[in-house]
Amino acid sequence: MFTLHTTCKEVLESLNEQFTSLPEMTTPNKTPPGADPKQLERTGTVREIGSQAVWSLSSCKPGFGVDQLRDDNLETYWQSDGSQPHLVNIQFRRKTTVKTLCIYADYKSDESYTPSKISVRVGNNFHNLQEIRQLELVEPSGWIHVPLTDTQKKPIRTFMIQIAVLANHQNGRDTHMRQIKVYTPVEESSIGKFPRCTTIDFMMYRSIR
Protein backbone atom coordinates (compact mmCIF):
# COMPACT_ATOMS: atom_id res chain seq x y z
CA MET A 1 0.00 0.00 0.00
CA PHE A 2 1.23 3.46 -0.87
CA THR A 3 0.69 6.44 1.49
CA LEU A 4 0.70 10.16 0.83
CA HIS A 5 4.29 10.33 2.09
CA THR A 6 5.58 7.67 -0.31
CA THR A 7 8.16 9.08 -2.70
CA CYS A 8 8.28 8.35 -6.43
CA LYS A 9 11.54 6.44 -5.93
CA GLU A 10 9.89 4.16 -3.36
CA VAL A 11 6.94 3.54 -5.69
CA LEU A 12 9.24 2.54 -8.56
CA GLU A 13 11.29 0.24 -6.33
CA SER A 14 8.13 -1.45 -5.06
CA LEU A 15 6.79 -1.99 -8.61
CA ASN A 16 10.14 -3.40 -9.74
CA GLU A 17 10.07 -5.93 -6.90
CA GLN A 18 6.55 -7.02 -7.88
CA PHE A 19 7.46 -7.54 -11.54
CA THR A 20 10.69 -9.42 -10.78
CA SER A 21 8.77 -11.78 -8.49
CA LEU A 22 6.40 -12.84 -11.31
CA PRO A 23 7.04 -16.35 -12.71
CA GLU A 24 8.92 -16.40 -16.01
CA MET A 25 6.94 -17.32 -19.14
CA THR A 26 8.38 -20.49 -20.63
CA THR A 27 7.94 -21.78 -24.17
CA PRO A 28 7.59 -25.49 -24.92
CA ASN A 29 10.79 -27.19 -26.03
CA LYS A 30 10.99 -27.88 -29.72
CA THR A 31 10.65 -31.51 -30.76
CA PRO A 32 14.24 -32.77 -31.25
CA PRO A 33 14.98 -34.50 -34.57
CA GLY A 34 15.68 -38.23 -34.56
CA ALA A 35 18.43 -40.04 -36.43
CA ASP A 36 18.24 -40.57 -40.18
CA PRO A 37 16.44 -43.93 -40.70
CA LYS A 38 19.22 -44.99 -43.07
CA GLN A 39 21.43 -45.27 -39.99
CA LEU A 40 18.93 -47.76 -38.54
CA GLU A 41 19.01 -49.76 -41.76
CA ARG A 42 22.81 -49.94 -41.67
CA THR A 43 22.69 -51.65 -38.28
CA GLY A 44 21.00 -54.63 -39.90
CA THR A 45 18.44 -54.82 -37.08
CA VAL A 46 15.47 -53.41 -39.03
CA ARG A 47 14.12 -53.48 -42.57
CA GLU A 48 11.85 -51.01 -44.35
CA ILE A 49 8.60 -52.69 -45.43
CA GLY A 50 6.48 -49.81 -46.70
CA SER A 51 6.62 -51.22 -50.23
CA GLN A 52 4.75 -54.32 -49.02
CA ALA A 53 1.70 -52.27 -48.00
CA VAL A 54 -1.17 -50.58 -49.80
CA TRP A 55 -1.20 -46.85 -49.03
CA SER A 56 -4.20 -44.53 -49.13
CA LEU A 57 -4.99 -40.98 -48.01
CA SER A 58 -8.10 -39.23 -46.73
CA SER A 59 -7.41 -36.47 -49.28
CA CYS A 60 -4.59 -34.93 -51.28
CA LYS A 61 -3.88 -32.04 -53.56
CA PRO A 62 -3.19 -33.27 -57.13
CA GLY A 63 0.51 -34.08 -57.49
CA PHE A 64 1.06 -34.19 -53.71
CA GLY A 65 -0.01 -37.70 -52.73
CA VAL A 66 1.35 -41.13 -51.83
CA ASP A 67 4.07 -41.05 -54.50
CA GLN A 68 5.59 -37.92 -52.95
CA LEU A 69 5.26 -39.39 -49.45
CA ARG A 70 7.30 -42.44 -50.46
CA ASP A 71 9.85 -41.12 -52.99
CA ASP A 72 12.84 -40.76 -50.59
CA ASN A 73 12.98 -37.04 -51.40
CA LEU A 74 12.77 -34.64 -48.45
CA GLU A 75 11.90 -31.78 -50.81
CA THR A 76 8.55 -33.31 -51.82
CA TYR A 77 5.52 -33.87 -49.59
CA TRP A 78 1.94 -35.03 -49.23
CA GLN A 79 -0.50 -32.14 -48.93
CA SER A 80 -4.00 -32.85 -47.68
CA ASP A 81 -7.00 -31.16 -49.25
CA GLY A 82 -9.93 -31.60 -46.92
CA SER A 83 -11.16 -31.36 -43.36
CA GLN A 84 -9.32 -32.70 -40.30
CA PRO A 85 -8.36 -35.28 -39.25
CA HIS A 86 -6.06 -35.96 -42.18
CA LEU A 87 -5.38 -39.68 -42.53
CA VAL A 88 -2.62 -41.90 -43.91
CA ASN A 89 -3.70 -45.53 -44.15
CA ILE A 90 -1.09 -48.32 -44.44
CA GLN A 91 -2.60 -51.77 -45.05
CA PHE A 92 -0.67 -55.05 -45.23
CA ARG A 93 -1.93 -58.16 -47.02
CA ARG A 94 -1.03 -60.31 -44.02
CA LYS A 95 -0.46 -59.70 -40.34
CA THR A 96 2.91 -58.00 -40.09
CA THR A 97 5.35 -57.25 -37.28
CA VAL A 98 6.10 -53.52 -37.11
CA LYS A 99 8.65 -51.98 -34.77
CA THR A 100 9.01 -48.31 -35.72
CA LEU A 101 7.42 -45.56 -37.80
CA CYS A 102 9.63 -42.73 -39.03
CA ILE A 103 7.94 -39.50 -40.11
CA TYR A 104 9.73 -36.50 -41.59
CA ALA A 105 8.30 -33.04 -40.87
CA ASP A 106 9.86 -29.63 -41.53
CA TYR A 107 8.39 -26.66 -39.68
CA LYS A 108 10.92 -24.24 -41.20
CA SER A 109 9.56 -24.96 -44.67
CA ASP A 110 5.93 -25.83 -43.94
CA GLU A 111 5.00 -23.58 -41.00
CA SER A 112 1.20 -23.77 -40.47
CA TYR A 113 1.03 -26.98 -42.56
CA THR A 114 3.21 -28.78 -40.01
CA PRO A 115 1.40 -31.31 -37.77
CA SER A 116 1.27 -30.45 -34.07
CA LYS A 117 -0.76 -33.44 -32.87
CA ILE A 118 -0.62 -36.94 -34.40
CA SER A 119 -2.46 -40.12 -33.46
CA VAL A 120 -1.18 -43.57 -34.48
CA ARG A 121 -3.75 -46.36 -34.62
CA VAL A 122 -3.50 -50.07 -35.45
CA GLY A 123 -5.96 -52.85 -36.13
CA ASN A 124 -7.23 -55.45 -38.58
CA ASN A 125 -9.22 -52.96 -40.67
CA PHE A 126 -10.92 -49.55 -40.58
CA HIS A 127 -13.61 -50.80 -38.20
CA ASN A 128 -11.49 -51.84 -35.21
CA LEU A 129 -8.57 -49.40 -35.12
CA GLN A 130 -7.21 -48.57 -31.67
CA GLU A 131 -4.91 -45.69 -30.78
CA ILE A 132 -1.54 -46.80 -29.42
CA ARG A 133 0.38 -43.50 -29.62
CA GLN A 134 -0.44 -39.80 -29.55
CA LEU A 135 2.30 -37.27 -30.18
CA GLU A 136 2.46 -33.55 -29.42
CA LEU A 137 4.96 -31.90 -31.78
CA VAL A 138 6.54 -28.48 -31.35
CA GLU A 139 8.08 -27.04 -34.51
CA PRO A 140 9.63 -30.34 -35.63
CA SER A 141 12.34 -30.18 -38.30
CA GLY A 142 13.65 -33.67 -39.00
CA TRP A 143 12.78 -37.31 -38.50
CA ILE A 144 10.29 -38.30 -35.81
CA HIS A 145 10.69 -41.86 -34.55
CA VAL A 146 7.52 -43.52 -33.26
CA PRO A 147 8.04 -46.90 -31.53
CA LEU A 148 5.15 -49.29 -32.08
CA THR A 149 5.23 -51.70 -29.15
CA ASP A 150 2.71 -53.49 -26.98
CA THR A 151 2.45 -53.47 -23.18
CA GLN A 152 5.38 -55.91 -22.98
CA LYS A 153 7.52 -53.54 -25.12
CA LYS A 154 7.46 -56.02 -28.01
CA PRO A 155 6.87 -54.90 -31.63
CA ILE A 156 3.21 -55.01 -32.58
CA ARG A 157 1.66 -57.36 -35.16
CA THR A 158 -1.02 -55.76 -37.28
CA PHE A 159 -2.80 -55.70 -40.62
CA MET A 160 -3.22 -51.93 -40.67
CA ILE A 161 -1.63 -48.71 -39.41
CA GLN A 162 -3.39 -45.37 -39.55
CA ILE A 163 -1.63 -42.06 -38.96
CA ALA A 164 -4.09 -39.27 -38.13
CA VAL A 165 -3.12 -35.60 -38.11
CA LEU A 166 -5.42 -34.08 -35.48
CA ALA A 167 -4.03 -30.54 -35.48
CA ASN A 168 -1.46 -28.32 -37.19
CA HIS A 169 0.71 -25.49 -36.00
CA GLN A 170 -0.90 -22.04 -35.99
CA ASN A 171 -4.31 -23.73 -36.40
CA GLY A 172 -3.49 -24.58 -40.00
CA ARG A 173 -6.20 -26.37 -41.99
CA ASP A 174 -4.28 -28.68 -44.32
CA THR A 175 -1.12 -30.58 -43.55
CA HIS A 176 2.24 -31.54 -45.03
CA MET A 177 4.18 -34.75 -44.41
CA ARG A 178 7.39 -35.21 -46.34
CA GLN A 179 8.23 -38.88 -45.82
CA ILE A 180 6.96 -41.91 -43.88
CA LYS A 181 8.94 -45.12 -43.40
CA VAL A 182 7.79 -48.36 -41.75
CA TYR A 183 10.28 -50.75 -40.12
CA THR A 184 10.11 -54.39 -39.07
CA PRO A 185 12.76 -56.05 -36.90
CA VAL A 186 15.19 -58.37 -38.68
CA GLU A 187 15.11 -61.79 -37.08
CA GLU A 188 18.46 -63.33 -36.22
CA SER A 189 19.32 -66.17 -38.56
CA SER A 190 18.79 -69.57 -36.96
CA ILE A 191 22.10 -70.66 -38.50
CA GLY A 192 23.90 -68.05 -36.48
CA LYS A 193 22.58 -69.53 -33.26
CA PHE A 194 24.43 -72.83 -33.57
CA PRO A 195 27.59 -73.11 -31.43
CA ARG A 196 30.87 -73.37 -33.26
CA CYS A 197 32.13 -76.99 -33.40
CA THR A 198 35.84 -77.29 -32.74
CA THR A 199 36.27 -80.87 -31.51
CA ILE A 200 38.85 -83.12 -33.19
CA ASP A 201 36.13 -85.45 -34.51
CA PHE A 202 34.26 -82.56 -36.11
CA MET A 203 37.40 -81.06 -37.62
CA MET A 204 38.05 -84.36 -39.41
CA TYR A 205 34.74 -84.07 -41.29
CA ARG A 206 34.35 -80.32 -41.69
CA SER A 207 35.30 -80.28 -45.40
CA ILE A 208 33.53 -81.95 -48.26
CA ARG A 209 35.71 -84.19 -50.38
Side-chain angles (χ1 to χ4, degrees), residues 47-208:
R47 179 168 53 88
E48 213 282 329
I49 54 170
S51 60
Q52 299 176 17
V54 176
W55 295 65
S56 62
L57 306 167
S58 56
S59 67
C60 69
K61 184 178 177 181
F64 296 86
V66 170
D67 290 343
Q68 288 68 39
L69 197 55
R70 293 284 300 161
D71 62 4
D72 279 326
N73 184 350
L74 299 181
E75 299 302 317
T76 62
Y77 50 84
W78 161 51
Q79 180 174 322
S80 64
D81 189 20
S83 57
Q84 293 177 359
H86 306 301
L87 307 176
V88 180
N89 305 304
I90 308 167
Q91 294 174 274
F92 296 97
R93 293 176 176 84
R94 59 185 181 183
K95 204 165 194 178
T96 302
T97 302
V98 182
K99 183 178 182 179
T100 307
L101 277 180
C102 292
I103 302 170
Y104 193 92
D106 188 356
Y107 179 79
K108 293 178 182 178
S109 298
D110 298 331
E111 297 184 340
S112 65
Y113 287 90
T114 310
S116 61
K117 182 182 289 187
I118 293 176
S119 169
V120 180
R121 305 151 182 179
V122 299
N124 293 332
N125 51 55
F126 285 98
H127 303 294
N128 66 354
L129 293 172
Q130 293 186 340
E131 183 179 81
I132 59 169
R133 290 284 184 277
Q134 188 172 119
L135 291 78
E136 300 277 351
L137 306 176
V138 181
E139 300 182 9
S141 289
W143 287 101
I144 303 157
H145 292 232
V146 186
L148 301 184
T149 53
D150 59 20
T151 54
Q152 282 77 42
K153 303 299 182 183
K154 294 181 179 180
I156 62 165
R157 287 182 56 77
T158 187
F159 279 100
M160 181 175 178
I161 302 170
Q162 184 180 81
I163 303 169
V165 178
L166 306 179
N168 292 316
H169 285 72
Q170 304 171 22
N171 295 318
R173 175 178 175 270
D174 282 307
T175 200
H176 284 181
M177 278 192 188
R178 292 182 171 260
Q179 292 291 301
I180 299 177
K181 292 183 177 292
V182 188
Y183 287 96
T184 187
V186 174
E187 299 295 334
E188 184 180 355
S189 171
S190 58
I191 296 175
K193 296 180 182 178
F194 285 115
R196 296 185 64 185
C197 299
T198 56
T199 63
I200 295 175
D201 288 340
F202 175 80
M203 298 293 282
M204 290 172 62
Y205 299 101
R206 65 176 180 174
S207 60
I208 299 175

Side-chain angles (χ1 to χ4, degrees), residues 4-19:
L4 293 175
H5 301 288
T6 305
T7 65
C8 289
K9 182 178 179 181
E10 290 172 334
V11 171
L12 289 174
E13 288 177 349
S14 176
L15 290 174
N16 283 335
E17 288 177 1
Q18 292 179 39
F19 280 115

